[in-house]
């Protein structure tokens, strides 16, 4: 199987236009869709080895990486009116890891929360797309609230499982998806994440499943994005590398605009919170960061 064939297979064989296909061939040629998965895994694991604490996580690839790095992994399955197949996939991952896991149904807690909020939050129960996003954000924050409480209980941390494609798309909930360490934040969804999953032995049923955030907003991630993850990644790196769009057809340009708008409109998330610089001490944040690094033994000298 060629790299291009494997990329398409891992993305559930989406129909690409000639232009997106040509851009994929180019990105394969310049090494974005590489075959250095083993090296990638080794480097991430070596970084994680430098951290010494317990962890509670719910992502298959992230869990495998932390296990390889010698961490104690505590997966938490948190369902809220969930599709049973999604819950079963979570259990399959935990059983494949061979670890004890926590299984919590948060539906009653979520329903109680939503009904209380409905008394003073207009439209929260409305059957509209915007209201479904609001409810989805509440689901995500309830899950993160639960994870951090478990982490506090055992003296641990929470893993962030977002990837680079989601980071660029703003496809996460502020204060609902971001944990303490993000081992796969730099990896693209259409290639490096599934390739790494295969390398680490994640069950095929998880790798080939349709991507979904489980928040009940729409029929999967790609329905919300408006493009497939493969198209998004191709468009993202074309834009970042100022690639040629002259041969793109009108439908390709529409998709590129969808991708560009998604990135533009989510920029506020990637700089959240926006810290204002002190008017009389512009280097205050840098000084604190240097102190943090020194106290964590990541730098030998403190120079202010």
């Amino acid at each position: 199987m060629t790299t291009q064939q494997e990329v398409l297979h891992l993305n559930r064989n989406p129909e690409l236009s000639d232009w997106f296909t040509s851009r994929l061939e180019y990105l394969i040629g310049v090494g974005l869709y590489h075959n250095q998965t083993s090296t990638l895994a080794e480097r991430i694991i070596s970084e994680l080895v430098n951290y010494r604490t317990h962890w509670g996580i719910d992502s298959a690839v992230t869990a495998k990486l932390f296990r390889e790095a010698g961490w104690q992994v505590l997966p938490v399955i948190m369902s809220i009116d969930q599709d049973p197949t999604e819950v079963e996939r979570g259990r399959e991952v935990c059983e494949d890891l061979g670890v004890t896991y926590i299984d919590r149904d948060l539906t009653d807690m979520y329903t109680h929360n939503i009904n209380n909020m409905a008394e003073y939050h207009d439209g929260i129960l409305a059957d509209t797309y915007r209201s479904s996003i609001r409810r989805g954000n509440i689901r995500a924050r309830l899950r993160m609230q639960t994870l951090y409480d478990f982490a506090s209980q055992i003296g641990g941390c929470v893993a962030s499982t977002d990837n680079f494609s989601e980071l660029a798309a703003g496809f996460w909930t502020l204060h609902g998806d971001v944990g303490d360490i993000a081992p796969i934040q730099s990896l693209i969804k259409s290639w490096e994440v599934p390739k790494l999953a295969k390398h680490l032995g994640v069950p095929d049923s998880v790798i080939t499943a349709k991507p979904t955030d489980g928040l009940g907003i729409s029929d999967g991630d790609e329905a919300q994005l408006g493009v497939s993850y493969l198209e998004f990644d191709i468009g993202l790196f074309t834009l970042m590398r100022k690639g040629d769009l002259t041969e793109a057809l009108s439908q390709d340009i529409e998709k590129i605009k969808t991708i560009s708008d998604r990135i533009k409109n989510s920029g506020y998330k990637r700089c959240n919170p926006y810290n204002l610089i002190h008017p009389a001490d512009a280097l205050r944040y840098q000084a604190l960061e240097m102190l943090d690094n020194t106290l964590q033994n990541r730098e030998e000298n403190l120079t202010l």
Side-chain angles (χ1 to χ4, degrees):
M1 186 181 294
T2 66
T3 297
Q4 184 170 335
Q5 289 171 331
E6 190 172 6
V7 169
L8 295 173
H9 173 70
L10 289 174
N11 286 273
R12 300 160 301 284
N13 296 306
E15 293 186 11
L16 295 181
S17 68
D18 290 343
W19 182 83
F20 273 97
T21 299
S22 69
R23 291 305 301 174
L24 174 60
E25 292 170 351
Y26 168 77
L27 292 171
I28 291 172
V30 298
L32 177 65
Y33 289 83
H34 57 82
N35 283 292
Q36 300 178 26
T37 310
S38 179
T39 301
L40 190 68
E42 290 172 3
R43 289 183 177 176
I44 294 174
I45 291 167
S46 68
E47 287 288 323
L48 294 176
V49 167
N50 291 325
Y51 292 87
R52 302 294 183 186
T53 185
H54 300 296
W55 202 270
I57 61 176
D58 62 353
S59 164
V61 174
T62 305
K64 288 274 189 177
L65 289 168
F66 278 103
R67 283 278 285 177
E68 291 289 333
W71 286 60
Q72 179 179 332
V73 175
L74 178 62
V76 183
I77 299 172
M78 298 168 289
S79 55
I80 303 175
D81 285 330
Q82 217 76 31
D83 182 337
T85 59
E86 295 175 11
V87 178
E88 197 53 44
R89 278 199 301 271
R91 293 179 182 139
E92 183 182 1
V93 169
C94 295
E95 290 165 5
D96 178 66
L97 282 170
V99 297
T100 301
Y101 63 93
I102 296 172
D103 197 338
R104 290 288 184 271
D105 190 326
L106 305 180
T107 302
D108 289 345
M109 191 185 307
Y110 165 75
T111 302
H112 178 76
N113 194 3
I114 285 291
N115 288 336
N116 281 342
M117 294 181 69
E119 296 181 11
Y120 54 90
H121 283 215
D122 291 343
I124 191 71
L125 296 177
D127 186 20
T128 64
Y129 182 69
R130 183 61 193 168
S131 293
S132 70
I133 291 177
R134 292 169 62 189
R135 293 192 296 271
N137 287 337
I138 292 170
R139 285 193 189 202
R141 289 168 183 142
L142 179 57
R143 294 190 309 197
M144 192 56 70
Q145 170 187 317
T146 303
L147 284 176
Y148 268 103
D149 185 62
F150 277 125
S152 178
Q153 178 183 342
I154 65 174
C157 300
V158 175
S160 186
T161 62
D162 293 321
N163 54 65
F164 190 76
S165 309
E166 293 168 334
L167 174 68
F171 198 65
W172 81 94
T173 298
L174 283 172
H175 316 299
D177 286 305
V178 180
D180 300 305
I181 302 177
I184 63 170
Q185 185 85 94
S186 66
L187 310 186
I188 59 173
K189 179 77 169 182
S190 65
W191 179 243
E192 291 165 322
V193 173
K195 276 287 283 186
L196 192 55
K198 289 181 64 177
H199 175 77
L200 295 170
V202 172
D204 285 341
S205 61
V206 177
I207 297 174
T208 58
K210 180 172 67 174
T212 177
D213 55 17
L215 299 181
I217 297 174
S218 63
D219 185 25
D221 295 359
E222 293 171 329
Q224 288 189 65
L225 290 175
V227 293
S228 70
Y229 270 117
L230 181 54
E231 289 170 323
F232 183 86
D233 287 341
I234 293 171
L236 169 64
F237 279 86
T238 296
L239 292 169
M240 289 199 304
R241 299 184 179 196
K242 304 187 187 305
D244 186 9
L245 297 173
T246 55
E247 296 184 7
L249 301 179
S250 59
Q251 60 263 35
D252 301 320
I253 295 297
E254 286 182 15
K255 289 187 175 183
I256 290 295
K257 186 177 186 308
T258 296
I259 295 165
S260 177
D261 287 347
R262 183 88 198 192
I263 298 167
K264 175 184 176 182
N265 294 335
S266 63
Y268 71 96
K269 288 186 174 183
R270 290 182 291 277
C271 63
N272 180 273
Y274 184 79
N275 294 319
L276 299 181
I277 302 300
H278 192 285
D281 188 1
L283 299 180
R284 183 168 291 181
Y285 290 125
Q286 291 91 323
L288 178 58
E289 181 179 359
M290 292 173 66
L291 177 59
D292 279 336
N293 289 335
T294 301
L295 295 177
Q296 295 294 331
N297 296 318
R298 294 176 187 163
E299 291 182 0
E300 295 182 357
N301 301 307
L302 174 62
T303 305
L304 296 178

